Amino acid sequence: MALNPRTKKHWRQEESFPGTLEHRDSLQRAAPSSHSHDDPEIAAKRPKLWFGADQSWGNQESTDETVPSAHYHELLARIQDKSALVAVVGLGYVGLPLSAVIHESGFRVLGYDVDTGKINKLKLGTSYIVYIEPAVWDALKCSERFIPTNQVDQFGAVDIFILCLPTPVGSHHEPDMRYVFDAVKTISKLMKRGCLIILESTTYPGTTDSDVVRLLVEGSKEKHGPQGLQPGDDFFVAFSPEREDPANKEYTAKTIPKLVGGSCAFSGKLAVEFYRSAGFQPVGVRSARVAECAKLLENIYRSVNIALVNELKMVFQAMGVDIWDVLDAAATKPFGYQRFNPGPGIGGHCIPVDPFYLSWKAKEFGQRCDFIELAAKVNASMPLYVVERIKFALNDVKKAVNGSRILLLGIAFKANVDDMRESPALEIWDLLDDLGAEIHFHDPYIPVIPPSRKHSRLTQVHSIPWSEQQINDHDCVVAITNHSNVDYGLLEHFAGVVIDTRNVIPKFSGLKLYRA
């Protein structure tokens, strides 16, 4: 297949991002210099960094003659003896567990977040993420090696910055990188020579070696002169995508393989060595762009397959076939099949958002991502499908949605967490509210709905108790999140209609149960 001119140009450029990172390679390729500045002959042997035609940083093919800078060796030594100061920027569902592992390994950790509430809770040892064990909070509270702060005055002493910040999309599904880029600009004006900056937030290919590096160079001119600091020499940049799975006790931050790609080979090697020293399982890849694309592939794979079973759910429902019976049957095949379950929509910080980062970037190269966009369309239609099933069920008992009392069971985006980001429950709530229903919810992990950008009017709404009395005070119960600590048996004698989006409600005799 012939490549169009734009694609061909960028493919050639991608070939000049070697930096293959085998973590068994020797990290010590030259003796560290005892001087603050390198010998000119040594400096001349380093890979020459260039500003590509598409405004991205790259490096020429590494050879045996290339020699890392003194800053590389100095930082490598601080990583290996764990004297490096590590700043984790963003202490949410990704940054806090990451901080805990790094701290546990023996590094000093500066935990930074603009949310004063989080900082105060960390100082008190008070939990704000329910599935993190109390011992973790206590260990951070009592340690002199963990400093929670909302001030940047210590950034100038930091050796390693790790950015764990939101990367949402805008109203037209375009990347919203303001949180990451604002943090990078702040770091660029304060960072010292010889530091490593690692981005963990999911993003489009080229963010790390193009946008982040460029912002760091530009911002460093204020402190370090008109030329600024130089990447691969004065500072190092890498990408290591988070793979956090909230509440998963089998796979944790310490045991999940961690992809690491550098903007140059030396950046990648430093990042690999840091994550290994910090107790993770790093897997070095050829470049930051490979790691960025791999993260997108992981989430696109899930989005497309979930969309498939969501669509088949509607098709089989029209045929009178239960999708859950079909899935159980198909799962008996021991090869060539992986099970995905349908649901009321997709939520969380990854699947509803990340695929759009690739489809947006692909347009720059004259490419389309039809699978991604079709899957997003199918998944986004699920809340409306659930509402249509609610209308159908209420109509069966001669009731309208308007005026009905409806209880949403679970509003977190997945089971056994308190995370509501992009939860389809909130979209279902809005649709039912527009139809005139009276809505209540029960969620054992969310006693009060926190503030959110899209659903601010629901802020401070309280969960009601899960009891027969409360249940029977409603016309309809909609099971949206399959929390394991809910007693579904309390629905056995419920006289109203039950909508099950997760195959979690037992088929009690006489229960008016509908799949959605």
Side-chain angles (χ1 to χ4, degrees), residues 93-95 131 164-169 200-202 241-246 295 299 302 346-355 357 413-414 419-423 453:
Y93 293 94
V94 173
Y131 59 84
C164 305
L165 296 165
T167 48
V169 292
E200 291 219 355
S201 309
T202 306
E242 60 85 11
R243 284 172 161 174
E244 187 71 19
D245 187 14
K295 172 61 175 177
N299 288 332
R302 293 173 64 198
I346 52 176
H349 65 293
C350 290
I351 303 179
V353 174
D354 296 351
Y357 272 68
F413 86 87
K414 63 173 284 186
D419 191 346
M420 287 178 49
R421 289 174 295 175
E422 306 296 332
S423 173
R453 291 187 297 272

Side-chain angles (χ1 to χ4, degrees), residues 124-126 133-143:
L124 296 171
T126 304
E133 298 295 330
V136 173
W137 302 98
D138 291 340
L140 295 177
K141 172 191 172 184
C142 299
S143 175

